[in-house]
Amino acid sequence: MKRVLYTILILINCFCTIIAQNSSGLLKPEKIYLHTDRDVYIAGENMFYSLYLQGNAGQMSKYAYLIIRDQNNTFVINSRLEINNQVAYGTVPLSDTLNTGIYQIICYTSCMRNHSEELYFNKEIVIANRFDKKLNLFPDSLNVLKADTSVSQDSVNKSDNGNLVLRIDRKVFYQREKISFSIETGSIPGNLTTRLSVSVKEIIQGIPTLPSIYEYFNNTTKWENKVESKESLCRFTPEINGAVIEGNVLKLSGQANQSDSVKNIDAGLPPPYTLLVSTTDSIVNLQYTSTDSSGSFRIHLSPYYEGKDLFIRIKENVKATIQTENKFNLIQPFYPSGNFNVPGFRPNLLRSENIVQVQKFYNLQQSITTLKEFLPGGIVPRIYFRDYSTVFPSDFIEMNDFLEISKEIVPALKVRKVGDKYVSGYINFQDQANKTEEPSFFLDGVPIDDVNQILSLGTRQIKRIESLPFNRYYGDMTFQGILALFSKDLLINRIEFKTPTIKYQSLSSQSYTKQELYKPVDVNSHIPDMRQLLLWDPDIVLKKSEKKQIEFYASDLQGKYLINIQGITNTGEPVNCSATIVIQSRSK
Amino acid sequence: MRRRLKIIYTILLLIIFQSLQGQTYWCCNCAENTKTEPRLPGVLVATPADTVTWFNKNWLPGDIFLNSGEIVRNINIKYSGLLDELFWLEPKSGKPVKIDKEAIQKFHFQSVRGDTSVNFRKIKIKRELSNDSIEVLGQEIYRGNLSLFVRHTFYVRQREIINTNSGIIQRDSYEEDPLYIICFMNKKTVALKGLTRKNLYAFAPDKKEQIKQFFNQSGHLKVETNDEIKVLMQFLGSVINQ
């Protein structure tokens, strides 16, 4: 009896554990893999990338953040990438003025920020300044370089590895020869659409090869034992439906003023505050949210606000500061691994520098095609569509200030002096219960505090006045009438707000760009063709049982080249393959 | 007995501990909790006092689809046929707010007397004696090659001047005068006073014989029920080339 009871209890134990694992197993961690065209660049060149995201179907992040930082942890690039069908691609121009050094590329989503930074995608690259001929960072003897054109005895008509099938006729090609190969999905199960990126680059001997997307995504040890509490996982909002601004309102102590530092923050929790988000426009626009019990706020930003300078304000008159979360905040410093301190690397780098000099001399720049631009757009979050009356002060005789304008030409509005301040109100206002409340004022589309901030504006400054003497609603926010002024010189930028206000530059996404396919005008041209990157195409879509033919041209540079293909299926399965080819001189 | 109970409790505690350990939370568990609600723009106005001109006398829960692509779900709404305006019962103040028509794309009542398919959509129609077009809210009766909308318009049937203690007041009695709007795929619209044989002949004069045959076969003089309307619209969609 005892044995039976124990066995049942143990079985229940196992069952519960499995059930618990299954319920959480419905959600997988988000993983990012970044395929770059090369690992070594000369300052002034472009870095091409293709990003792949693996996550939960229908719940994947829309944006990823890309950072390139140097050994001093200074960010040289930070951009937002927009993910479409689990893929994003584009170009990062590496500034001409970058110092020679080892740089780190880091890529993550907002969702991934809830976990350890170790789970972010990271990779080291070398950027050399073409005027730095000493290259002290890479101590090495200046060996005389000889192009490695030896042909391995491998089979020549199939890929070296990976789960895609790459077919190529030969392994040895001549300078400037047209090269073609085909890709097929092969034995990958299911009716899939696969998105791929292809790079064909010169192999630099000694540099360790990075794991393929397949190896990276299937390296389960990296993501194992990363158990976190549910609370800490909701710190950063996943950007599934759109961009999110999040932050905190920190209440300052009674004696402090707005310029005081955060040291004076009250120990008590702040009450819920209303945060207003708007931008300068010829239309009154507004989004708002409230802080939670801990003073945190998050707002799903309307696409209309993307890439614009925003005003984020607290509606209530309170001594507090607004702190927004920096999407590009990294805690762990970067320490180079030393992977590039390999014999022969320095002369290789010098050779690349010289090649870029020659390319520059002949004005042979990499041409870039833009396939998709993410321009700010979307519908304006309007708080009203029709105004009661529009007044153009320039239609009347010149008036020096708003006091005069309100008295003479704005219907129903009354401004009067109470003590040392002016107050305003609409006469015969419908909601007599709230008639003590002033109307809401907007300047250049942005909410301001009260009429006192615009009193000095006269006919010369004001372009247009829109008046709505009604009790208006915008969600659960009420307005005891609205008066919107539009200035001639965007005077909103000169307004001093009474309530805590910050200016926030909202992010915009990088365009989808790729390198234009190189097509020689004349194969026998005397102009040297010294491309180390023979092909970069991040926009290949392969359907099930489709065979994709890819063509490109060899350059004058002899040596070994790597055809590297990485990609992802529409079900999130990583795919890859690679092959090595050799470019030889025709005289051999 | 007590010893056995102790062992059982220990094992049960182990079960709970292990089950909790089995739970690995990954980000996105909290994604849905943090969605910002779309905001409805509107104005506080006095609503018509009568009960006749409302599509729904009482506030009913519904969903509003905004032009911005956002959806405001499960709010109490009321549609006035007389004003052709949608009202929302603002929950904080408990006051009726007239929603700006410009912001609305369509709205849907969750249930009107058990009918869960009551949809209204904003459509553009031409004004009489004018080249301007206006946007109105029409109840979507049928959606296909040819779509059919009904505008719940009213006319003043009787106007009374009544003497009361507080003065003279005017009392109007309204009667519904629905307008049927047939919408083509290219958004062109044609308004009909009723779905009668005569009106349909005028709508499609070149298909007069086919329409006549349809009515003869169906045995109805007038199309009234939703099912009859659906059959008629399917027939019209099949015979009228767009």
Side-chain angles (χ1 to χ4, degrees), chain A residues 5-6 9 13 16 20-21 24 27 29 59 111 114-115 223 228 233-234 237-238 240-241 288 298 300 379 383-386 430 470-476, chain B residues 4 7-8 11 14-15 18-19 22-31 34-36 39-44 67-68 88 90 92-93 95 97 100 102-103:
Chain A
L5 189 73
Y6 287 156
L9 284 169
N13 185 12
C16 288
Q21 281 171 342
S24 62
L27 291 172
Q59 282 206 330
C111 181
N114 290 309
H115 304 282
W223 279 273
E228 313 230 4
L233 284 176
C234 294
T237 311
I240 295 164
N241 301 309
Y288 71 92
R298 47 176 64 90
H300 285 257
I379 290 170
I383 62 166
Y384 64 88
F385 290 83
R386 270 173 292 175
Q430 62 188 135
F470 317 114
N471 196 336
R472 282 204 57 92
Y473 279 77
Y474 183 55
D476 57 0
Chain B
R4 196 178 286 175
I7 294 165
I8 292 169
I11 293 172
L14 263 170
I15 292 171
Q18 215 162 329
S19 304
Q23 289 178 337
T24 308
Y25 290 111
W26 287 103
C27 181
C28 302
N29 292 47
C30 51
T34 53
K35 222 178 155 192
T36 311
R39 315 290 186 188
L40 283 174
V43 64
L44 187 77
N67 275 336
S68 59
W88 158 53
E90 202 282 310
K92 239 182 184 176
S93 61
K95 289 175 182 170
V97 174
D100 291 348
E102 292 87 342

Side-chain angles (χ1 to χ4, degrees), chain A residues 126-154:
Chain A
V126 169
I127 302 172
N129 191 297
R130 69 174 190 276
F131 302 106
D132 178 9
K133 301 291 177 193
K134 289 180 184 168
L135 297 172
N136 291 330
L137 207 67
F138 307 100
D140 193 4
S141 59
L142 277 168
N143 300 327
V144 178
L145 270 176
K146 203 180 167 190
D148 180 11
T149 55
S150 60
V151 185
S152 62
Q153 295 306 306
D154 306 343

Side-chain angles (χ1 to χ4, degrees), chain A residues 10-189:
Chain A
I10 288 163
L11 279 172
I12 292 170
N13 185 12
C14 294
F15 178 73
C16 288
T17 313
I18 291 162
I19 290 277
Q21 281 171 342
N22 276 350
S23 63
S24 62
L26 290 170
L27 291 172
K28 294 181 278 182
E30 278 195 349
K31 296 176 189 175
I32 276 182
Y33 183 85
L34 200 78
H35 179 202
T36 55
D37 61 329
R38 285 171 288 166
D39 304 320
V40 178
Y41 300 88
I42 306 301
E45 285 190 303
N46 291 310
M47 182 189 93
F48 299 103
Y49 65 83
S50 190
L51 173 144
Y52 298 100
L53 175 73
Q54 195 186 49
N56 303 289
Q59 282 206 330
M60 270 185 260
S61 293
K62 197 179 172 189
Y63 301 111
Y65 298 91
L66 177 99
I67 295 171
I68 301 180
R69 61 176 169 178
D70 65 11
Q71 286 158 289
N72 303 321
N73 291 297
T74 309
F75 292 2
V76 293
I77 300 284
N78 52 347
S79 341
R80 192 184 75 177
L81 321 179
E82 192 152 330
I83 304 165
N84 204 353
N85 294 321
Q86 298 173 260
V87 177
Y89 57 88
T91 312
V92 175
L94 302 169
S95 166
D96 236 347
T97 54
L98 290 177
N99 294 327
T100 303
I102 297 166
Y103 291 73
Q104 190 188 32
I105 305 174
I106 303 159
C107 205
Y108 54 88
T109 62
S110 201
C111 181
M112 287 164 76
R113 292 181 75 198
N114 290 309
H115 304 282
S116 162
E117 283 183 16
E118 288 164 31
L119 301 182
Y120 295 2
F121 176 86
N122 71 78
K123 149 180 188 167
E124 284 181 7
I125 56 165
V126 169
I127 302 172
N129 191 297
R130 69 174 190 276
F131 302 106
D132 178 9
K133 301 291 177 193
K134 289 180 184 168
L135 297 172
N136 291 330
L137 207 67
F138 307 100
D140 193 4
S141 59
L142 277 168
N143 300 327
V144 178
L145 270 176
K146 203 180 167 190
D148 180 11
T149 55
S150 60
V151 185
S152 62
Q153 295 306 306
D154 306 343
S155 163
V156 291
N157 61 354
K158 67 178 179 72
S159 60
D160 292 347
N161 55 52
N163 48 3
L164 285 171
V165 178
L166 187 154
R167 291 184 198 282
I168 189 159
D169 304 339
R170 293 180 276 144
K171 236 180 177 182
V172 182
F173 296 89
Y174 296 116
Q175 291 165 310
R176 300 196 183 195
E177 192 185 347
K178 191 178 187 177
I179 305 167
S180 73
F181 64 88
S182 67
I183 326 167
E184 290 166 64
T185 48
S187 59
I188 301 165

